[in-house]
């Protein structure tokens, strides 16, 4: 297996971006209509690359919120290292530069026979193809005592915006010496390293402002992504501050008590000064409602076109999709969206086939100037998607290498959000 360097992955990402912004196809006479549902990373990227690739396709993007706040870098916000505004992006460029018809509404139904999308406002949008990118929903049934209303007291902060603000306010008003209890979900879930990045950056904040405070991670799993890198960093940066309790130790997470602000496991009850419960996850509600999910709770898709294996003519990208070895990350959502957009352009205009490249790159902060990365390339194989190459940061890396990764992460954020939102 080839071992990738960070530089090589950076080049590949740039090449992919340029390929997507290449000459527009003039093929096809009739105007075709594509409706994209969800203006998150998957949906916004799909809409942009559809509109940029074929003038003959009319692209409509439906998203209820007027702007989008990224989950990635929201842990930096929790640590007081950036503002939420700096993580928030509007849809103006997609509308004005790419001619996308952006509608702020909520999709309530999709009729695959009539080929229409129904909106909460009552509007009906006809389509030739539809791309569904609703992100995740939370499986509240799996955690006694925790539901949508409870998130206003004990936030999950797993969709960025008001939830992240609420958690930040709670951390700010917590007294020094309190315990921050973080409940980490079972696999699969949005962004495998993110709960542990959150613990690291909250520890950084405590170290600056509340040094007697502690972090307790109650995990639904027995191991987690890049565990060796995190355990090493916690020992170096925050000795004695973070305790991780795997499911085999606690017997698993059983219930949340809102009034007591505590989390009950099979073996014990843990009282929190501030609690952050990240519940088990599944594909966004719309995907479930219109029959795109299988028994796993996620949407099986064709590994080349991202067309649903259950509902022909409907494509699914991003966290909602079940796409073999690909994790649920923003980079993956963006990569899948491009592959999907090129496949739709080909199907609707008869243009030349573009062979898609599927990648993931994740930067994870252990402290503000100590970051690690994981870069993976994938290819469709045997009806699914397999890893073909993998770069992972190592425990023994120098401080300079880690500083450089932290700087690269900042540049990645700027380039990536520009690639997605214009
Ligand atoms: C703390 C944290 C840190 C993270 N860090 C990273 C990172 O460093 N790198 C990385 O690559 N990834 C990271 N991620 C993961 C990343 O945020 C997600 O994987 C990504 O947002 C998934 O994109 P998506 O388009 O599938 O869903 P989303 O971005 O959630 O977008 C879904 C959109 O669909 C809309 N929607 C839902 N239902 C409807 C409907 N019925 N009608 C219309 N619109 C609808 C929603 O309003 C939303 O805007 C992180 C996640 C978290 C929680």
């Amino acid at each position: 297996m080839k071992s990738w360097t960070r530089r090589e992955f950076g080049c590949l990402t740039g090449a992919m971006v340029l390929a997507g912004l290449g000459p527009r196809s003039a093929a096809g006479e009739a105007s075709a209509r594509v409706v994209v549902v969800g203006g998150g990373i998957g949906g916004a990227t799909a809409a942009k690359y559809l509109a940029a690739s074929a003038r003959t396709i009319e692209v409509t993007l439906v998203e209820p919120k007027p702007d989008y706040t990224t989950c990635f870098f929201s842990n930096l916000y929790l640590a007081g290292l950036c503002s939420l505004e700096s993580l928030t992006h509007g849809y103006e460029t997609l509308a004005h530069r790419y001619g996308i018809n952006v509608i702020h509404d909520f999709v309530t139904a999709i009729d695959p026979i009539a080929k229409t999308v129904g909106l909460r406002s009552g509007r009906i949008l006809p389509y030739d193809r539809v791309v569904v990118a609703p992100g995740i929903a939370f499986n509240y049934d799996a955690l006694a005592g925790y539901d949508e209303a409870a998130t206003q007291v004990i936030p999950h902060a797993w969709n960025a915006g008001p939830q992240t603000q609420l958690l930040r306010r709670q951390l700010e008003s917590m007294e020094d010496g309190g315990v921050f209890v973080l409940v980490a979900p079972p696999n699969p879930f949005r962004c495998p390293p993110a709960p542990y990045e959150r613990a690291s950056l909250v520890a950084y904040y405590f170290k600056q402002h509340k040094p007697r405070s502690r972090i307790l991670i109650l995990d639904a799993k027995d191991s987690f992504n890049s565990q060796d890198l995190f355990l090493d960093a916690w020992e170096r940066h925050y000795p004695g501050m973070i305790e991780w309790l795997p499911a085999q130790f606690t017997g698993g997470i059983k219930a949340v008590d809102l009034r007591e602000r505590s989390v009950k496991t099979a073996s014990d009850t843990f009282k929190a000064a501030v609690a952050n419960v990240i519940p088990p996850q599944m594909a966004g509600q719309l995907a479930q409602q219109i029959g795109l999910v299988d028994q796993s709770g996620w949407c099986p898709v064709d590994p080349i076109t991202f067309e649903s294996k259950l509902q022909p003519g409907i494509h699914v990208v991003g966290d909602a999709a079940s796409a073999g070895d690909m994790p649920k990350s923003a980079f993956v959502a963006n990569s899948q969206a491009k592959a999907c957009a090129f496949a739709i352009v080909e199907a609707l205009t008869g243009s030349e086939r573009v062979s898609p490249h599927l990648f993931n790159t994740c930067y994870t902060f252990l402290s503000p100037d100590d970051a690690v990365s994981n870069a993976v390339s994938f290819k469709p194989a045997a009806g699914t998607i397999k890893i073909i190459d993998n770069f992972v940061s190592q425990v023994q890396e120098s401080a300079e290498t880690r500083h450089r990764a932290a700087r690269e992460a900042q540049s990645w954020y700027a380039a990536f959000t520009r690639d997605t939102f214009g």
Side-chain angles (χ1 to χ4, degrees):
M1 179 174 277
K2 181 181 188 321
S3 105
W4 293 93
T5 64
R6 285 194 178 92
R7 183 179 293 277
E8 282 173 308
F9 263 96
C11 291
L12 283 169
T13 309
M16 186 172 66
V17 170
L18 287 176
L21 291 174
R24 294 175 183 203
S25 163
E29 293 302 316
S31 202
R33 290 159 304 196
V34 180
V35 176
V36 180
V37 182
I41 301 303
T45 309
K48 173 177 161 177
Y49 277 78
L50 280 160
S53 304
R55 288 181 200 280
T56 51
I57 296 180
E58 185 186 299
V59 182
T60 300
L61 175 64
V62 187
E63 162 61 46
K65 297 193 292 289
D67 44 35
Y68 178 83
T69 305
T70 62
C71 287
F72 41 102
F73 279 40
S74 66
N75 288 329
L76 290 168
Y77 164 75
L78 289 177
L81 295 165
C82 69
S83 68
L84 213 55
E85 293 71 46
S86 69
L87 307 182
T88 301
H89 306 268
Y91 295 97
E92 300 76 20
T93 310
L94 293 182
H96 299 136
R97 186 181 302 161
Y98 297 95
I100 296 165
N101 178 24
V102 179
I103 299 178
H104 291 298
D105 206 328
F106 192 81
V107 172
T108 50
I110 297 180
D111 182 337
I113 309 293
K115 290 196 161 188
T116 55
V117 170
L119 307 185
R120 187 173 277 158
S121 61
R123 246 177 110 174
I124 303 283
L125 307 173
Y127 70 81
D128 295 294
R129 293 277 171 146
V130 62
V131 180
V132 174
I136 53 166
F138 299 106
N139 183 5
Y140 293 118
D141 292 344
L143 201 50
Y146 196 68
D147 58 15
E148 179 116 38
T151 66
Q152 298 309 310
V153 181
I154 296 183
H156 53 69
W158 222 238
N159 282 323
Q163 277 283 294
T164 334
Q165 273 173 316
L166 176 60
L167 183 56
R168 169 73 191 164
R169 278 199 301 274
Q170 292 183 350
L171 290 168
E172 278 173 327
S173 53
M174 188 185 112
E175 281 185 21
D176 189 11
V179 180
F180 171 55
V181 175
L182 190 163
V183 174
N187 292 324
F189 65 96
R190 162 173 285 182
C191 200
Y196 314 97
E197 178 189 61
R198 177 168 290 176
S200 309
L201 290 177
V202 170
Y204 170 79
Y205 168 70
F206 284 166
K207 202 171 156 185
Q208 314 303 308
H209 304 282
K210 306 177 187 205
R212 293 188 297 113
S213 306
R214 285 194 315 115
I215 296 169
L216 178 64
I217 305 171
L218 298 175
D219 211 319
K221 307 176 288 302
D222 286 333
S223 61
F224 62 90
N225 190 279
S226 302
Q227 189 169 327
D228 55 342
L229 293 170
F230 282 105
L231 296 181
D232 165 69
W234 293 345
E235 194 57 42
R236 283 187 292 113
H237 294 303
Y238 321 109
M241 198 178 245
I242 303 176
E243 190 177 359
W244 172 68
L245 296 184
Q248 63 188 357
F249 185 86
T250 61
I253 294 136
K254 301 297 175 202
V256 176
D257 186 325
L258 272 198
R259 243 168 17 117
E260 292 293 317
R261 214 181 276 267
S262 65
V263 179
K264 208 173 156 49
T265 68
S267 62
D268 216 336
T269 297
F270 298 89
K271 190 155 170 45
V274 173
N276 172 207
V277 173
I278 307 166
Q281 292 159 37
M282 54 194 175
Q285 203 190 345
L286 180 74
Q288 298 169 48
Q289 197 183 313
I290 59 176
L292 295 172
V293 305
D294 63 16
Q295 64 286 1
S296 70
W298 305 97
C299 308
V301 289
D302 177 277
I304 296 170
T305 62
F306 290 88
E307 187 168 359
S308 165
K309 287 185 174 174
L310 304 178
Q311 296 277 9
I314 302 182
H315 299 250
V316 185
V317 296
D319 286 357
S322 166
D325 292 343
M326 298 190 91
K328 300 188 184 305
S329 78
F331 201 106
V332 159
N334 172 283
S335 186
Q336 292 177 347
K338 285 170 185 164
C340 175
F342 296 144
I344 291 176
V345 169
E346 185 200 8
L348 294 179
T349 70
S351 67
E352 197 185 331
R353 166 150 241 158
V354 177
S355 179
H357 297 282
L358 296 169
F359 294 107
N360 183 43
T361 301
C362 266
Y363 289 97
T364 304
F365 286 89
L366 305 165
S367 80
D369 57 4
D370 181 351
V372 289
S373 64
N374 180 7
V376 188
S377 69
F378 305 87
K379 77 165 188 203
T384 185
I385 298 174
K386 299 269 188 212
I387 292 177
I388 50 172
D389 258 314
N390 198 359
F391 165 86
V392 192
S393 295
Q394 300 298 310
V395 167
Q396 309 79 9
E397 286 173 338
S398 68
E400 176 46 32
T401 302
R402 296 297 182 80
H403 289 187
R404 203 166 48 241
R407 287 199 301 273
E408 277 174 18
Q410 300 286 353
S411 314
W412 168 79
Y413 184 93
F416 183 78
T417 49
R418 184 142 190 262
D419 183 42
T420 303
F421 294 102

